[in-house]
């Protein structure tokens, strides 16, 4: 997990391939949150939408302000499987 409290995007290397979930919002005055740039919602059957991870490789960028969660298989962390 990475937290960016500033306005400028921050970059770092994951050291491998993975999946990312970056949560951002348009401004501090809104409660609307985007996941990987898409507003989550509910399908007619009640299934959550727009919550899939985006593939990432190597260096990643965390928009500011934002929170990002990364699952990297080479980390061998049981929570990432």
């Amino acid at each position: 997990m990475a937290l960016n409290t500033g306005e400028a995007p921050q970059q770092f290397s994951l050291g491998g391939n993975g999946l990312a979930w970056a949560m951002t919002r348009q401004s501090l005055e809104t409660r609307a949150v985007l996941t990987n740039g898409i507003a989550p919602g509910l399908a007619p059957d009640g299934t959550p939408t727009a919550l899939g991870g985006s593939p990432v490789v190597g260096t990643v960028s965390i928009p500011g302000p934002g929170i990002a969660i990364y699952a990297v298989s080479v980390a061998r962390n049981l929570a990432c499987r």
Side-chain angles (χ1 to χ4, degrees):
M1 186 173 109
L3 174 66
N4 181 1
T5 59
E7 293 296 322
Q10 299 296 315
Q11 294 183 340
F12 67 94
S13 176
L14 287 179
N17 301 346
L19 290 175
W21 292 264
M23 293 166 278
T24 59
R25 56 187 179 170
Q26 298 296 336
S27 73
L28 295 176
E29 289 79 34
T30 183
R31 292 183 184 196
V33 175
L34 303 176
T35 302
N36 294 334
I38 302 170
L42 291 175
D45 66 357
T47 305
T49 63
L51 294 179
S54 294
V56 291
V57 178
T59 301
V60 295
S61 179
I62 305 167
I67 298 171
I69 298 169
Y70 300 98
V72 183
S73 60
V74 295
R76 306 240 187 263
N77 184 330
L78 292 176
C80 295
R81 296 178 189 202

